[in-house]
């Protein structure tokens, strides 16, 4: 049975210690009452002056809250007559009732096969967030991160060139970042590349999913390290690829085994500089064998160099990409280890042979042309 709305209104309490504005608190309380069906459609609301006195707030606060409810269509204001519970509220109450299962029907989303698969795969991961701990493989030493310096540098850069850092940027990532990455790869990882080959993504896992979607048809084989990286595995599973587990020994990825199991493969996923999770470096013989196998199968190799910035001794282990004369290696880097993972920043170094196709005009997210200059779409060369 409905209680009289007036009695309910006097039950509204404003939390004076809250950071939330009084008008917002009042709006939320009134909205909840309205949506719970506490009022009859067409009921007249008390005058704002009466409400203000009853609840103990200013009249302006009440007017603010009422105005919001009127603009949402839950209340109706009639000039000279007052404010009334709107007819459209009945429909809203019916909708929210059925969403809560009052009529016994709760809609469950019909998931695509891809989402079914990935949600199953992702729930097998350990709970997040991971905590820093000795010997943990997935996290840098967050407590050692120079946060004060980072904050200073961030503040300095946020102050300048606002349209460059806050506007819709280059579709493949901030040009200066792409240049810096290309320079760093050349200097530290022995990879000669052009900034145009670098594509900024939201971390290595986004890179794997993107590469999988671009290159692998459902059911096609991906050679995958066993044991291997869970995040990469999930990203490739999402593309409906068939993962072929390939054992690791003291020299790394057992290319011979992989060839016996599945000579026809589309992609191989490896962590040659620091096998995840065993920590091995892949031998040169195995690297050459893998490159040869990729050539023979007309396949590509994903090199995940997730923590190539860290090493003991004078020289870091070389990258597979640095000896890739056939352009078979797609190199993936991330800032999750050298900076921190919540940044969600990584990159793909595409093979140089993947041409850039010009396309114009192209619309931006608001439907307007984002720039008059030509934009390029990244697609592999065909024919
Ligand atoms: C093998 C491997 N590659 C890449 C990453 C980084 O992934 P992301 O850049 O998506 O954080 C991790 C993180 O633990 C990893 O273990």
């Amino acid at each position: 049975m409905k209680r009289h709305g007036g009695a309910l209104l006097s039950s509204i309490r404003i939390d004076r210690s809250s950071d939330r504005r009084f008008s917002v608190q009042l709006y939320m309380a009134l909205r909840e009452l309205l949506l719970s069906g506490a009022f009859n459609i067409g009921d007249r609301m008390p005058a704002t002056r009466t409400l203000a006195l009853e609840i103990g707030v200013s009249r302006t606060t009440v007017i603010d809250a009422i105005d919001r409810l009127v603009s949402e269509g839950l209340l109706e204001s009639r000039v000279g007559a007052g404010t009334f519970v709107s007819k459209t509220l009945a429909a809203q109450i019916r909708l929210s009732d059925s969403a809560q299962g009052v009529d016994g029907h709760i809609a469950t989303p019909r998931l695509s096969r891809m989402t079914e698969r990935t949600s199953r795969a992702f729930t097998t991961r350990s709970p997040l967030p991971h905590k820093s701990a000795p010997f943990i493989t997935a996290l840098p030493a967050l407590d050692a991160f120079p946060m004060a310096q980072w904050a200073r540098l961030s503040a300095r850069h946020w102050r300048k060139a606002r349209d460059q850092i806050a506007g819709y940027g280059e579709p493949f990532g901030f040009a200066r970042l792409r240049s810096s990455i290309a320079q760093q790869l050349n200097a530290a990882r022995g990879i000669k590349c052009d900034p145009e080959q670098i594509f900024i993504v939201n971390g290595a896992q986004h890179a794997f999913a993107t590469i999988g979607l671009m290159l692998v048809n459902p059911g096609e084989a991906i050679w995958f390290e066993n044991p291997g990286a869970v995040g990469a595995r999930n990203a490739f599973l999402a593309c409906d690829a068939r993962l072929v587990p390939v054992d690791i020994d003291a020299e790394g990825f057992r290319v011979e085994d992989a060839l016996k199991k599945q000579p026809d493969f589309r992609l191989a996923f490896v962590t040659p500089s620091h096998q995840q999770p065993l920590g091995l470096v892949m031998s040169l013989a195995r690297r050459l064998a893998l490159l040869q196998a990729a050539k023979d199968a007309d396949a590509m190799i994903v090199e995940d160099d997730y923590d190539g910035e860290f090493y003991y001794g004078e020289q870091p282990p070389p990258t597979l990409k640095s000896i890739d004369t056939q352009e078979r290696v797609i190199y993936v880097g991330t800032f999750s280890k050298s900076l921190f993972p919540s940044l969600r920043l990584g990159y793909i170094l595409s093979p140089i042979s993947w041409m850039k196709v010009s396309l114009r005009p192209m619309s931006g997210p608001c439907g307007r042309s984002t720039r008059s200059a030509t934009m390029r779409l990244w697609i592999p060369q065909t024919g």
Side-chain angles (χ1 to χ4, degrees), residues 84-260:
F84 299 84
V85 177
S86 147
K87 289 193 192 70
T88 56
L89 182 63
Q92 292 227 26
I93 291 173
R94 272 201 305 280
L95 262 182
S96 61
D97 276 357
S98 56
Q100 286 159 24
V102 168
D103 63 1
H105 179 81
I106 299 173
T108 43
R110 283 198 295 145
L111 301 175
S112 69
R113 277 192 295 279
M114 185 276 271
T115 307
E116 287 270 11
R117 251 192 331 273
T118 40
S119 54
R120 265 200 309 275
F122 274 75
T123 48
T124 60
R125 297 207 74 175
S126 48
L128 296 168
H130 301 305
K131 295 223 163 51
S132 273
F135 304 114
I136 192 162
T137 55
L139 265 191
L142 298 179
D143 51 347
F145 187 78
M147 200 53 91
Q149 192 183 356
W150 175 259
R152 235 184 356 264
L153 288 170
S154 302
R156 191 197 307 160
H157 287 283
W158 274 113
R159 272 199 290 273
K160 50 188 179 188
R162 195 153 303 182
D163 47 350
Q164 259 189 39
I165 58 170
Y168 291 109
E170 292 289 321
F172 305 131
F174 191 46
R176 278 170 55 195
L177 176 61
R178 294 167 77 199
S179 281
S180 304
I181 291 172
Q183 273 171 27
Q184 177 68 10
L185 286 178
N186 193 359
R189 304 304 278 132
I191 298 172
K192 292 206 176 3
C193 62
D194 188 286
E196 299 245 301
Q197 289 171 259
I198 309 275
F199 297 86
I200 306 297
V201 289
N202 299 124
Q205 291 177 52
H206 184 207
F208 307 142
T210 306
I211 294 166
L213 283 172
M214 283 183 66
L215 297 186
V216 185
N217 293 307
E220 285 184 335
I222 299 185
W223 286 359
F224 200 82
E225 294 177 330
N226 180 33
V230 180
R233 183 200 67 160
N234 289 348
F236 289 128
L237 283 178
C239 312
D240 212 1
R242 190 160 48 84
L243 296 197
V244 177
V246 177
D247 287 352
I248 305 293
D249 66 13
E251 283 195 67
F253 195 82
R254 291 178 60 95
V255 181
E256 284 284 310
D257 288 2
L259 281 170
K260 277 190 206 130

Side-chain angles (χ1 to χ4, degrees), residues 125 130 137-139 202-208 225 228-232 269 271 274-277 304-307 332-337 340-342 344-347:
R125 297 207 74 175
H130 301 305
T137 55
L139 265 191
N202 299 124
Q205 291 177 52
H206 184 207
F208 307 142
E225 294 177 330
V230 180
F269 172 84
T271 47
H274 191 198
Q275 205 276 331
Q276 166 75 341
D304 176 12
D305 197 24
Y306 61 101
D307 67 353
V332 172
T334 176
F335 292 94
S336 287
K337 312 297 161 183
F340 48 87
S342 69
R344 306 314 306 137
L345 195 64
Y347 57 91

Side-chain angles (χ1 to χ4, degrees), residues 322-374:
S322 62
I323 56 165
D324 170 30
T325 53
Q326 303 272 331
E327 293 290 310
R328 293 263 162 213
V329 177
I330 306 166
Y331 175 97
V332 172
T334 176
F335 292 94
S336 287
K337 312 297 161 183
S338 51
L339 292 172
F340 48 87
S342 69
L343 202 54
R344 306 314 306 137
L345 195 64
Y347 57 91
I348 299 172
L349 169 64
S350 82
I352 208 158
S353 58
W354 291 18
M355 69 179 274
K356 292 134 196 166
V357 173
S358 295
L359 193 86
R360 65 185 306 183
M362 196 169 184
S363 288
C366 309
R368 280 171 287 137
S369 184
T370 48
R371 65 205 71 204
S372 55
T374 304

Side-chain angles (χ1 to χ4, degrees), residues 3-13 26 29-30 33-34 39 44-47 51 54-55 66:
R3 288 168 62 196
H4 186 253
L8 285 169
L9 287 174
S10 60
S11 71
I12 294 176
R13 295 276 169 270
L26 181 57
L30 285 171
L33 282 177
L34 285 162
F39 298 92
R44 187 176 188 282
M45 297 295 283
L51 263 179
E54 197 152 335
I55 298 167
I66 298 281

Side-chain angles (χ1 to χ4, degrees), residues 43-54:
D43 271 0
R44 187 176 188 282
M45 297 295 283
T48 49
R49 202 181 308 275
T50 317
L51 263 179
L53 273 175
E54 197 152 335

